[in-house]
Amino acid sequence: MSISPEIRQRAEALIAAERARFAERNPVSRRMAEEAGRHFPGGVPLHWMLDWETPFPLFVREAKGSTVTDADGHAYADFCLGDTGAMFGHSPAPVARAIAEQAQHGLTAMLPSDLTAKVGSLLAAHFGLPFWQVTATASDANRAVVRWARAITGRQKVLVFDGCYHGQVEDAFVKLEGGRTKMKPSLLGQVHDIAQTSVAAPFNDLDAVEKLLADGDIALVLTEPALTNTAMVLPKPGFIEGLLAAARKHGTLVCLDETHTISTGPGGYTRAHDLHPDFFVLGKPVAGGLPTAVFGFTANVEAEMRRVLDTKTPGYSGIGTTLSGNMLALAAMRACLEEVMTPAAYEHMTRLAKRLAEGLRAEVAKAGLEWTVTQIGARAELVFSPRLLENGAEAAAAIDHTVERAIHLFLLNRNVLVTPFHNMTLVAPSTTEADVDGLVARFGEALAVLCGEAEI
């Protein structure tokens, strides 16, 4: 066990102290929460915004670059960055200009704009697949890919990895339990047992994947290149390559969901490792934080799509929504791909993420703790494990929400934001060395309290 009972006990005391500190320093946010609560449950427009575990939500007055300023006037160094949605900083200037300009010429018309060809060329150049479609969210993109894969292959089942995250896609809400696929009990309002048409496999286990694919009934493998919405699990060398080869052998399509691993580089993990999936999904930051996502696919898949469309029964396919691919989204995406997601930006982001990871490791070592820090490009994460994790089961075992919450609240009250869901940090093009060094210093102070070397 990487968390001792003594550390957990101090974490509980620290949480109580930091919640009281938060309430005292944020009276305007408290008032706003009460006002908003008359019509929004919990005072928030999305219930996830309550996951920060503060006594009431922190209300934002402004977010620019890597700084968030709250309603009480506190300025925070932001390492959450909208849980990747603002990975390139809040309101990047080129995207803000593009949005303002396009807003004068139409937002949505359910028709392509004069930017369509340009954006298609940029997507192909960045990510290597020749054909693309635009959706409103990565959930929509993943859901569309699942439908296309089933229609193309004539198979029903989807393979995902235990511990994965693919947004709202119902097919991904399964887990391994006792070696069997079970539907996650946390899923609300689900009528049919997803485990009948989805199978879960342990990440980094090619033998297990090969056995499941050999049955010949799996239409699609939907996976992140690394598990990122849990304690982060990196792929073993050759795992993703082996997965692609095994899927091709058994006639199964593969989608790499890079919504989080786009932190790797300008072309994501896919281009950095010269991978060739059938589908590629990217949401969240692709339009600078505007609700937009894309999925790309090969020429072979495009030909199969045309075959399916030519032979299907007339009527709505279940793929696409009215606002998908709107003019505003295309304008923002053009600006982000062309002017924001640059090699120079990634060089800065990755260099500072490395500085951050090294700093966090140094503080962990100084505290005598057996924890690790993983990094994938601009993304770094503290993991409560003495070694790198190999699969979702190990990731789940490594999570300690009490200690996480204590660290997060301690940082928040000292003007540093990290993601509320786990110990993930992101570095933006606007992040500075001072921001990184400040986070490392505050993290060291939190560990000193948790280890009994400083008073709460």
Side-chain angles (χ1 to χ4, degrees):
M1 178 179 287
S2 297
I3 305 291
S4 69
E6 292 79 14
I7 287 179
R8 190 170 290 107
Q9 186 175 18
R10 292 188 198 103
E12 290 171 352
L14 183 57
I15 289 169
E18 294 301 327
R19 284 173 63 87
R21 181 187 180 103
F22 177 91
E24 182 179 352
R25 76 194 295 258
N26 292 292
V28 177
S29 276
R30 181 196 288 274
R31 187 179 71 249
M32 288 184 170
E34 292 170 353
E35 293 173 354
R38 297 170 191 163
H39 302 290
F40 290 106
V44 295
L46 172 66
H47 68 273
W48 290 4
M49 294 177 183
L50 297 173
D51 287 349
W52 295 82
E53 299 291 350
T54 51
F56 47 84
L58 183 72
F59 281 74
V60 175
R61 187 174 72 197
E62 182 182 53
K64 278 299 279 293
S66 302
T67 302
V68 167
T69 304
D70 70 21
D72 286 274
H74 307 116
Y76 301 81
D78 187 8
F79 290 87
C80 173
L81 297 170
D83 193 23
T84 312
M87 192 177 82
F88 303 108
H90 297 283
S91 297
V95 175
R97 286 195 300 269
I99 290 173
E101 181 179 342
Q102 183 61 46
Q104 305 302 312
H105 303 286
L107 305 180
T108 185
M110 213 172 73
L111 289 167
S113 75
D114 56 2
L115 287 172
T116 303
K118 178 63 176 177
V119 171
S121 295
L122 287 168
L123 288 167
H126 265 72
F127 307 116
L129 287 100
F131 292 99
W132 294 85
Q133 289 281 271
V134 178
T135 65
T137 68
S139 294
D140 292 336
N142 282 319
R143 191 176 288 113
V145 167
V146 169
R147 284 188 177 274
W148 278 119
R150 284 173 168 154
I152 288 169
T153 63
R155 300 174 179 180
Q156 291 189 355
K157 291 187 177 180
V158 174
L159 186 152
V160 296
F161 289 100
D162 186 38
C164 72
Y165 179 74
H166 300 287
Q168 282 186 293
V169 178
E170 291 85 351
D171 303 275
F173 279 83
V174 291
K175 64 176 183 175
L176 278 178
E177 188 176 290
R180 299 183 62 186
T181 299
K182 298 286 184 69
M183 187 171 76
K184 290 183 177 180
S186 61
L187 186 58
L188 293 175
Q190 182 62 31
V191 178
H192 303 290
D193 183 4
I194 295 165
Q196 298 300 311
T197 52
S198 290
V199 292
F203 196 71
N204 277 321
D205 189 338
L206 271 179
D207 289 340
V209 171
E210 181 80 41
K211 288 177 182 176
L212 291 169
L213 293 177
D215 289 338
D217 58 355
I218 294 175
L220 178 76
V221 175
L222 175 61
T223 185
E224 308 161 88
L227 300 184
T228 59
N229 212 56
T230 179
M232 190 155 63
V233 182
L234 302 178
K236 291 180 179 178
F239 173 68
I240 301 296
E241 292 84 350
L243 171 65
L244 288 165
R248 289 198 180 94
K249 183 172 75 172
H250 294 289
T252 297
L253 300 171
V254 176
C255 177
L256 295 185
D257 180 356
E258 292 247 28
T259 298
H260 288 160
T261 55
I262 192 62
S263 63
T264 308
Y269 193 96
T270 297
R271 292 308 290 272
H273 294 268
D274 193 29
L275 303 175
H276 301 280
D278 302 287
F279 293 96
F280 174 103
V281 163
L282 175 58
K284 291 189 180 179
V286 71
L290 206 67
T292 306
V294 294
F295 64 98
F297 40 96
T298 64
N300 286 340
V301 167
E302 192 273 341
E304 285 295 293
M305 286 176 168
R306 283 190 281 109
R307 176 187 63 79
V308 168
L309 290 173
D310 287 343
T311 57
K312 85 173 190 70
T313 302
Y316 177 42
S317 64
I319 297 172
T321 56
T322 305
L323 294 178
S324 298
N326 66 73
M327 295 181 288
L328 187 66
L330 269 289
M333 204 186 313
R334 193 284 307 161
C336 194
L337 290 167
E338 198 165 49
E339 303 179 65
V340 178
M341 296 174 63
T342 64
Y346 271 97
E347 189 282 327
H348 172 88
M349 294 157 68
T350 302
R351 178 176 60 82
L352 286 193
K354 181 180 180 183
R355 181 187 183 102
L356 174 57
E358 290 173 347
L360 296 178
R361 290 186 190 110
E363 293 298 331
V364 167
K366 187 192 304 182
L369 296 167
E370 293 186 334
W371 298 347
T372 56
V373 178
T374 54
Q375 182 191 351
I376 185 164
R379 188 181 186 100
E381 184 162 333
L382 173 71
V383 180
F384 301 139
S385 167
R387 60 173 179 80
L388 292 177
L389 304 172
E390 293 190 4
N391 54 53
E394 290 185 358
I399 293 172
D400 190 296
H401 293 299
T402 301
V403 177
E404 275 183 10
R405 192 175 307 150
I407 294 172
H408 296 177
L409 287 170
F410 186 96
L411 294 174
L412 179 67
N413 282 331
R414 286 149 189 85
N415 297 354
V416 179
L417 292 177
V418 298
T419 183
F421 303 121
H422 38 102
N423 294 316
M424 186 274 289
T425 62
L426 279 168
V427 170
S430 49
T431 304
T432 67
E433 290 187 356
D435 292 332
V436 168
D437 294 344
L439 168 53
V440 170
R442 302 293 85 75
F443 174 69
E445 293 169 7
L447 291 190
V449 174
L450 290 173
C451 293
E453 298 170 4
E455 294 295 323
I456 295 175

